[in-house]
Amino acid sequence: MKKASWFYIFMKVLVRYTLKFFFKKIEVNGLENIPKNVPLIFTSNHQGTLMDGVLLVITSNRNIASLIRADAFKKPAIKWILQKFMLVPIYRPRDGGNPLKKNKEVFRDCFQFLKEKGAITIFPEGGNGMEWHLRPLKKGIARIALGAESENNFNLDVHIIPAGIHYQNHTKFRNNIVMNFGKSIKLKDYENLYKQSENKAIRQLTADVKAGILQNMVHIPDFENHNTIKNWLLYKANEDQYQLKLKHNFTQKIKAMQQRILQLNKLKTDQPSQHESFLNQVENYTQHLKKNNFKDWLFAQKATSLGILFFYFMKLLLLSPFYLYSFINCFLPYCAIKGIINKIALPQFFLNALKCFLGLFVGGFIFAIQAIVVWFLVDSFLLSILYFITLPFAGIFWYNFNVWMLKFSKLVKYNQTKKTSQVLKIKEARKNLMAVS
């Protein structure tokens, strides 16, 4: 395991700026919990596959080696690229061979890397998914951390940084991210327990890591009703924003969701029949929205004012020349990226990382070609550079304009049907849901 190369550092800077365009906002909390000049192990929930590791590197301001599943290293070219990004294979029984022996070698590399005050990332769930739910943790992170300290008489001063990553949307462009770094877990505190019983120390450390991650993420423990509860949390967030006029940032929204999950868990414990009835209400309301192709924000906003429609119409009209510029200049990279995504057909939870990667390299390449063409046409290097700089912003504007057009069409439909019995029924169902705080 080698330290960061010039290639890694260069790509880190490039990706940092790419993420500023790809995501609308990345809110980072708890940087003061990351100690300096000590070996670190970062760990978090794992909802965004490769993007999770990228976000930990970018937001923590550390050069981090990440342990990922070994099957990603099968092709030599891919293996070379992954190694340049300080990615290290971790082996599972399904990978064949002798995974225990191979992992021992990986662990020893980790021990040495930590001894050199390096930083590594381990996702202890052993898998990933887009649900707001923390899966049972594997013990690998505890074995590596305690093993490194044990080989050095607990003098390394290794710290584990539990983190929570929350995606507003796991697949869409320009969504919000919250990265919460929790209080560090000092391995020195487990020395006595480890000397008494290695297994007890591993179990205790794993439990403490789990608790640290849970404190910093939105976790829906009722996995069976996950989607229903998630929808209710989003409906309540809309209520806070549009009805209560709460100027919450995304971090505050996350905290509100955590509190509401606790309230719902209490309702399930104290009044299980009422809890089940409530979930049925949420599901019924959700199905009404889907059936009529409505979004909850329309009812939260009470979008009945003609002034709102006029505002959207004028905004679209006045900004249409910029839309035309954006459409002409971004249509080709958009088609190329979309075509590649459709051809590869990866699972949904890979889309964020794939879109970001393709936007950086494929989109960047096409933008560069367009800028060169402009250079030849206008015979001005300066103008071509200025043109090139506008292209990423044009891409963002094009996306936003399409969102505004979609919202406008929803507003028109809502105002045309707001007095129908079906819409009135949806309003009443929502009113009953919002009565639950």
Side-chain angles (χ1 to χ4, degrees):
M1 192 179 295
K2 298 179 181 179
K3 289 192 175 182
S5 64
W6 65 267
F7 175 80
Y8 177 95
I9 295 171
F10 170 75
M11 289 303 302
K12 181 178 174 181
V13 173
L14 191 60
V15 169
R16 183 190 302 277
Y17 284 100
T18 301
L19 293 183
K20 290 181 182 293
F21 288 97
F22 187 78
F23 293 113
K24 188 175 182 179
K25 189 174 183 180
I26 302 175
E27 296 178 18
V28 184
N29 306 297
L31 285 175
E32 68 278 5
N33 294 322
I34 304 176
K36 298 179 180 179
N37 300 317
V38 297
L40 299 176
I41 299 177
F42 289 90
T43 185
S44 78
N45 56 319
H46 200 22
Q47 297 177 6
T49 58
L50 294 176
M51 187 58 76
D52 294 339
V54 171
L55 287 168
L56 283 169
V57 171
I58 298 302
T59 57
S60 67
N61 296 318
R62 289 290 299 259
N63 297 327
I64 305 175
S66 299
L67 273 63
I68 66 172
R69 60 194 211 189
D71 59 350
F73 290 77
K74 287 183 178 180
K75 295 183 178 180
I78 300 296
K79 179 180 179 180
W80 182 85
I81 294 172
L82 295 178
Q83 288 175 339
K84 290 295 182 183
F85 282 99
M86 294 178 67
L87 298 177
V88 181
I90 191 77
Y91 298 89
R92 301 167 298 176
R94 71 186 76 170
D95 295 319
N98 191 337
L100 289 177
K101 182 180 178 181
K102 292 177 180 178
N103 282 337
K104 281 184 179 181
E105 295 176 3
V106 172
F107 286 6
R108 292 204 172 277
D109 286 342
C110 290
F111 297 165
Q112 182 59 37
F113 193 64
L114 291 171
K115 189 175 181 179
E116 297 168 359
K117 296 186 177 181
I120 63 176
T121 293
I122 302 173
F123 297 105
E125 290 177 271
N128 53 267
M130 295 189 295
E131 296 83 10
W132 295 358
H133 178 82
L134 186 68
R135 294 160 183 76
L137 304 192
K138 309 296 182 183
K139 297 177 181 177
I141 184 170
R143 294 185 190 281
I144 290 176
L146 290 168
E149 285 286 13
S150 176
E151 288 206 353
N152 293 275
N153 298 315
F154 279 83
N155 291 321
L156 281 186
D157 196 24
V158 173
H159 287 60
I160 295 178
I161 310 296
I165 307 175
H166 187 86
Y167 295 82
Q168 183 183 24
N169 188 290
H170 292 85
T171 61
K172 288 186 178 179
F173 179 59
R174 300 295 291 171
N175 73 91
N176 293 308
I177 300 286
V178 169
M179 171 68 76
N180 292 322
F181 291 105
K183 293 182 179 179
S184 66
I185 300 171
K186 301 178 183 179
L187 269 295
K188 185 73 174 176
D189 295 341
Y190 297 83
E191 180 178 2
N192 292 333
L193 182 59
Y194 183 85
K195 289 178 178 177
Q196 294 172 17
S197 170
E198 180 180 345
N199 288 331
K200 285 183 179 180
I202 289 173
R203 287 196 297 271
Q204 185 59 54
L205 180 56
T206 303
D208 292 343
V209 168
K210 179 180 179 180
I213 296 174
L214 286 173
Q215 287 175 2
N216 292 284
M217 66 172 287
V218 176
H219 170 68
I220 299 175
D222 187 355
F223 192 74
E224 183 180 351
N225 296 300
H226 170 274
N227 291 342
T228 302
I229 296 171
K230 178 181 176 181
N231 286 333
W232 175 66
L233 294 172
L234 294 174
Y235 300 155
K236 290 295 289 185
N238 285 337
E239 182 76 1
D240 291 342
Q241 179 178 348
Y242 294 110
Q243 285 296 300
L244 303 181
K245 306 298 182 183
L246 299 179
K247 302 297 183 180
H248 282 171
N249 59 28
F250 200 45
T251 298
Q252 291 169 320
K253 289 180 180 180
I254 298 306
K255 290 180 179 178
M257 288 180 182
Q258 290 173 324
Q259 290 299 315
R260 283 165 179 153
I261 290 172
L262 292 176
Q263 293 170 0
L264 201 58
N265 291 343
K266 188 175 187 304
L267 180 65
K268 183 178 182 180
T269 302
D270 297 344
Q271 303 177 59
S273 59
Q274 188 174 337
H275 175 266
E276 184 176 353
S277 175
F278 172 71
L279 292 182
N280 289 334
Q281 282 183 276
V282 176
E283 190 58 32
N284 182 54
Y285 173 68
T286 302
Q287 292 306 317
H288 277 305
L289 290 176
K290 289 181 178 178
K291 182 179 178 181
N292 292 276
N293 196 24
F294 279 131
K295 297 294 183 181
D296 176 71
W297 64 267
L298 287 164
F299 296 88
Q301 192 178 31
K302 294 185 177 178
T304 58
S305 170
L306 292 177
I308 295 176
L309 284 173
F310 180 74
F311 168 76
Y312 268 96
F313 175 76
M314 291 304 299
K315 181 165 71 169
L316 293 172
L317 181 64
L318 293 173
L319 295 177
S320 56
F322 298 99
Y323 173 74
L324 183 62
Y325 174 83
S326 301
F327 175 80
I328 292 172
N329 288 286
C330 298
F331 184 72
L332 184 58
Y334 168 78
C335 290
I337 291 171
K338 187 176 182 180
I340 293 171
I341 290 173
N342 290 339
K343 187 172 183 179
I344 295 177
L346 289 175
Q348 288 281 306
F349 46 73
F350 279 105
L351 286 183
N352 255 341
L354 180 61
K355 286 179 180 178
C356 186
F357 177 84
L358 293 175
L360 174 59
F361 292 102
V362 177
F365 176 75
I366 295 175
F367 282 162
I369 295 298
Q370 291 177 187
I372 291 172
V373 171
V374 168
W375 184 13
F376 279 106
L377 290 176
V378 301
D379 195 24
S380 172
F381 179 72
L382 179 60
L383 284 178
S384 66
I385 291 297
L386 292 174
Y387 166 75
F388 179 78
I389 292 173
T390 68
L391 294 178
F393 297 98
I396 293 174
F397 180 82
W398 186 28
Y399 174 82
N400 288 337
F401 196 92
N402 284 320
V403 171
W404 297 333
M405 286 197 295
L406 181 61
K407 282 191 173 183
F408 180 70
S409 67
K410 296 289 185 184
L411 285 166
V412 170
K413 179 184 176 182
Y414 178 86
N415 278 274
Q416 289 174 338
T417 60
K418 63 185 179 183
K419 293 183 179 180
T420 62
S421 60
Q422 192 63 39
V423 171
L424 292 174
K425 184 186 293 186
I426 296 174
K427 286 182 179 180
E428 184 64 25
R430 191 181 195 283
K431 182 180 177 181
N432 294 334
L433 284 185
M434 293 305 108
V436 179
S437 59

